[in-house]
Amino acid sequence: MKELALMKGNEAIAEAAIRIGVDAYFGYPITPQSEVLEYLTLQRPEERTGMVILQAESEVAAINMVYGAAGTGKRAMTSSSSPGISLMQEGISYIAGAELPCLIVNVVRGGPGLGTIQPSQADYFQSTKGGGHGDYRLIVLAPASVQEMADYVELGFDLAFKYRNPVLILTDGLIGQMMEKVELPPQKARIEEFDQSWVITGKTPDRERNIITSLNLDPDLQYEHNLKLQEKYRSMNEDVMFERIGCDDAEFLLVAYGSSARICQKVVDIARGRGKKLGLLRPQTLFPFPTDEIARLSRQVKGIMSVELSAGQMVEDVKLAVNGKVPVYHYGMLGGKIHSPEDVLSAVEDKFIGGL
Amino acid sequence: MKEITREENLVYRRTPLMTDATLSYCPGCGHGTIHRLIMEVVEEMGIQSETIGVAPVGCAVLAYDFMDVDFSQAAHGRAPAVATGIKRLWPDKFVFTYQGDGDLAAIGTAETIHACNRGENITIFFVNNGIYGMTGGQMAPTTLEGMKSSTSPYGRNNETMGPPYKITELIAQLSGTYYVTRQAVHKPGPVRKAKKAIRKALEIQKEKKGISFIEFVSNCNSGWKMTPNDSNIWMEEHMFPFYPMGDIKVDGKLVKG
Ligand SMILES: Cc1ncc(C[n+]2csc(CCOP(=O)(O)OP(=O)(O)O)c2C)c(N)n1
Ligand code: SF4
Ligand SMILES: [Mg+2]
């Protein structure tokens, strides 16, 4: 039987984490995502499933607790918002280097610095290009609804374990705070039987000791390790996810993710109502990025606009995909302000044609 | 050798829990002895299959090459947080961190204090050699007043650089700590005492009584630019008066001194 609830995006993430049997959550309060830790502590998941919940002394500690916990082969996660995610970058780099599976949620707010607690998409570069030091990538999921907030928790862990790689849910204060109807996953038990061949459990006589590390002092070994990582990141392409909205006959295309995609969906509706052939490509994974799909669409449309709550970050990836075939524009609001559908529509009319 | 050694005459053997890898430590350095003592206790308690170590960033970064137990390497200073994550998910395993003074008392101060304050049921082995050994002998939070290092080349000036501090006494004040002691390994007598302390610490962890914390005041002959023997004499004359040997907290109670 379906179980429906009316929830905030942040709460949906927390409830989904309990229901899919996540083993541990470590976090530190920050607006606009504190509801995750608040909801988890209120729900007594230690009684519902035996899930470990701990408020750490900082985001630095929280991500290192995740690192330690992920090394046991169990499912560990954290969440934060932009300034806290910046603090976590060292730990995330170590997790990527040591190839540990885990889930990180960034409910983005406007920056730079302490910025604002209003929603933003200005952490796209940090999320999709590595973020910390070294050549590494996270799998980046971009939910556009409270439903996807809930669904991407399990998807995130599936991908994290498939690739032994950290997965980031990149969302923002808008989706984190807004309430929507959500269908919750059924309650599952935590996984007791899992692959322990690589994890730290205590060395038994039948195997060599297991070591979780990102250190390779020998440059030849570190080179090999880097090549292996790069191969892994390339292979993630098979899990690229996107939604096509009105793309089949589109003459002009918007590319937008998360909350901006929600706004752009309205823009498409209005434009279509006026008989204009506008489409929207909504990446659900930002890494891997739907490069091939955008390249295909660039052979069909006359122009593309990347619409983001930033000064123009994803637009660079769109341009790489389009490779000069059609004009690519950016439209976006900065610093926590949100564009209205009308704002976007007039930008579209301005750039594409006079004819829309 | 095997044939001529009679069991009853055997007075010492290398614990099989130390691997065959050649130690990366400078000859005369205390790190190797501390590794051996920990592994001897793990062997004697029969807990190899339940023990997980957390290695620091510092000279002991490769501790997992030498100690034959499962290990997680941690970012600089973060070992207590990493150990917290492991222990919370494997509460019945033995989890220890092994950290230098820069790692534990400078960059990792917050993680150290909060893991101790929460009373995480782990053991912290803290090797205080008064210097950053690995990076070539820079000043540590534990470097003594007037002591020369590559970043206090005219000697540590307490007024401009801040004085050295005793984090071990500080964490002993926290209610989460159950056993806090300061030991050394430069002579047979202290080695025997240090081994007893390690055993006590791991027994406490077995009984889930809270955090046990052992500081080893140790030498860094390379960083101090001394021969191993001179460094041990210097340590006795200069380090021990500031960092006095002995128990600071036992059975959750501060030792009166
Ligand atoms: C974030 C970060 N900062 C600085 C360093 C460089 N570093 C490596 S080891 C070390 C000091 C280690 O000193 P200590 O903890 O006393 O260990 P020892 O080598 O003396 O045993 C430093 C500063 C690093 N690896 N990571
Ligand atoms: S540099 Fe110092 S602490 Fe490091 S191995 Fe050499 S003597 Fe030991
Ligand atoms: Mg040191």
Side-chain angles (χ1 to χ4, degrees), chain A residues 23-24 26 52-58 60-62 64-76 90-91 94 190 194 196 199-205 207-217, chain B residues 19 21 48-53 57 61-76 78-91 93 107 110-115 118 120 134:
Chain A
D23 294 293
F26 304 96
V52 170
I53 309 291
L54 184 60
Q55 178 169 337
E57 60 271 29
S58 68
V60 175
N64 281 284
M65 290 171 185
V66 169
Y67 173 95
T72 70
K74 302 198 187 191
R75 294 194 286 178
E90 179 202 42
Y94 274 67
R190 290 185 305 114
F194 54 91
Q196 299 197 352
V199 312
I200 41 172
T201 56
K203 180 198 175 307
T204 44
R207 65 161 171 83
E208 287 298 305
R209 63 191 179 287
N210 283 335
I211 297 164
I212 305 294
T213 185
S214 58
L215 176 72
N216 265 316
L217 288 173
Chain B
T19 66
Q48 181 190 24
S49 62
E50 298 153 76
T51 299
I52 299 164
V57 174
V61 68
L62 288 174
Y64 54 73
D65 275 357
F66 315 123
M67 298 192 231
D68 194 17
V69 293
D70 278 2
F71 249 99
S72 182
Q73 205 282 315
H76 198 17
R78 316 298 173 217
V82 173
T84 298
I86 298 168
K87 186 74 183 191
R88 291 282 175 136
L89 290 178
W90 292 135
K93 313 253 174 187
I107 195 166
E111 286 77 11
T112 303
I113 289 190
H114 285 279
R118 287 191 303 267
E120 295 295 338
M134 174 167 225

Side-chain angles (χ1 to χ4, degrees), chain B residues 24-26 29-31 59 129 133-134 219-223:
Chain B
S24 52
Y25 304 110
C26 308
C29 171
H31 272 304
C59 280
N129 54 16
M134 174 167 225
N219 62 336
C220 174
N221 37 292
S222 293

Side-chain angles (χ1 to χ4, degrees), chain B residues 121-172:
Chain B
N121 192 35
I122 58 172
T123 300
I124 294 183
F125 298 121
F126 165 39
V127 182
N128 173 10
N129 54 16
I131 204 151
Y132 286 4
M134 174 167 225
T135 38
Q138 294 85 5
M139 185 176 69
T142 45
T143 300
L144 298 177
E145 181 175 17
M147 188 173 163
K148 286 184 179 161
S149 74
S150 67
T151 53
S152 57
Y154 307 108
R156 182 177 197 141
N157 179 339
N158 277 5
E159 285 191 8
T160 56
M161 301 167 180
Y165 83 114
K166 300 170 197 179
I167 193 166
T168 307
E169 274 80 354
L170 203 148
I171 65 109

Side-chain angles (χ1 to χ4, degrees), chain A residues 221-279:
Chain A
L221 290 178
Q222 188 60 22
Y223 174 73
E224 289 301 324
H225 179 56
N226 267 268
L227 288 185
K228 185 183 146 217
L229 289 179
Q230 291 305 317
E231 182 50 40
K232 176 169 87 171
Y233 303 145
R234 273 192 293 279
S235 76
M236 289 169 179
N237 243 330
E238 72 182 49
D239 283 299
V240 72
M241 279 168 44
F242 51 82
E243 190 185 4
R244 289 165 50 105
I245 298 165
C247 284
D248 288 351
D249 62 345
E251 288 176 8
F252 297 96
L253 183 72
L254 303 179
V255 183
Y257 69 93
S259 52
S260 183
R262 290 289 287 263
I263 298 161
C264 287
Q265 212 167 326
K266 184 81 188 160
V267 177
V268 170
D269 286 349
I270 301 172
R272 290 266 161 187
R274 294 183 196 165
K276 306 298 177 189
K277 291 183 173 166
L278 186 66

Side-chain angles (χ1 to χ4, degrees), chain A residues 114-139:
Chain A
L114 202 49
T116 164
I117 57 172
Q118 300 304 320
S120 163
Q121 295 183 320
D123 295 357
Y124 177 92
F125 283 151
Q126 185 194 54
S127 310
T128 61
K129 310 295 176 189
H133 59 284
D135 270 328
Y136 74 90
R137 300 300 182 115
L138 311 178
I139 294 172

Side-chain angles (χ1 to χ4, degrees), chain B:
Chain B
M1 255 309 263
K2 269 239 164 78
E3 291 97 77
I4 59 166
T5 309
R6 306 233 311 257
E7 254 326 291
E8 61 268 31
N9 291 340
L10 191 73
V11 288
Y12 179 77
R13 68 160 175 50
R14 191 184 64 149
T15 169
L17 270 64
M18 285 296 284
T19 66
D20 291 333
T22 308
L23 288 175
S24 52
Y25 304 110
C26 308
C29 171
H31 272 304
T33 311
I34 301 166
H35 283 20
R36 168 173 69 79
L37 293 178
I38 298 169
M39 285 302 102
E40 283 179 1
V41 172
V42 169
E43 185 198 358
E44 286 160 22
M45 289 176 71
I47 55 170
Q48 181 190 24
S49 62
E50 298 153 76
T51 299
I52 299 164
V54 182
V57 174
C59 280
V61 68
L62 288 174
Y64 54 73
D65 275 357
F66 315 123
M67 298 192 231
D68 194 17
V69 293
D70 278 2
F71 249 99
S72 182
Q73 205 282 315
H76 198 17
R78 316 298 173 217
V82 173
T84 298
I86 298 168
K87 186 74 183 191
R88 291 282 175 136
L89 290 178
W90 292 135
D92 296 330
K93 313 253 174 187
F94 292 84
V95 180
F96 70 84
T97 72
Y98 185 105
Q99 303 175 256
D101 43 331
D103 193 85
L104 181 141
I107 195 166
T109 310
E111 286 77 11
T112 303
I113 289 190
H114 285 279
C116 287
N117 189 51
R118 287 191 303 267
E120 295 295 338
N121 192 35
I122 58 172
T123 300
I124 294 183
F125 298 121
F126 165 39
V127 182
N128 173 10
N129 54 16
I131 204 151
Y132 286 4
M134 174 167 225
T135 38
Q138 294 85 5
M139 185 176 69
T142 45
T143 300
L144 298 177
E145 181 175 17
M147 188 173 163
K148 286 184 179 161
S149 74
S150 67
T151 53
S152 57
Y154 307 108
R156 182 177 197 141
N157 179 339
N158 277 5
E159 285 191 8
T160 56
M161 301 167 180
Y165 83 114
K166 300 170 197 179
I167 193 166
T168 307
E169 274 80 354
L170 203 148
I171 65 109
Q173 304 296 322
L174 306 172
S175 59
T177 51
Y178 190 80
Y179 174 49
V180 182
T181 186
R182 187 180 283 121
Q183 302 288 329
V185 296
H186 64 308
K187 283 180 176 173
V191 162
R192 276 193 289 273
K193 279 194 196 158
K195 188 169 167 182
K196 278 198 191 123
I198 295 168
R199 175 82 190 223
K200 188 177 169 80
L202 291 177
E203 294 287 354
I204 286 166
Q205 186 170 160
K206 193 177 191 171
E207 291 159 24
K208 298 192 161 72
K209 285 181 172 160
I211 213 158
S212 44
F213 185 104
I214 305 182
E215 172 178 339
F216 301 91
V217 177
S218 193
N219 62 336
C220 174
N221 37 292
S222 293
W224 298 355
K225 310 217 181 313
M226 295 176 196
T227 64
N229 196 41
D230 285 352
S231 74
N232 284 332
I233 295 167
W234 191 90
M235 181 169 72
E236 283 186 338
E237 289 176 351
H238 297 88
M239 296 283 278
F240 289 5
F242 191 77
Y243 300 112
M245 291 297 115
D247 292 342
I248 299 167
K249 194 174 195 181
V250 178
D251 296 340
K253 291 186 197 75
L254 288 169
V255 175
K256 290 186 199 85

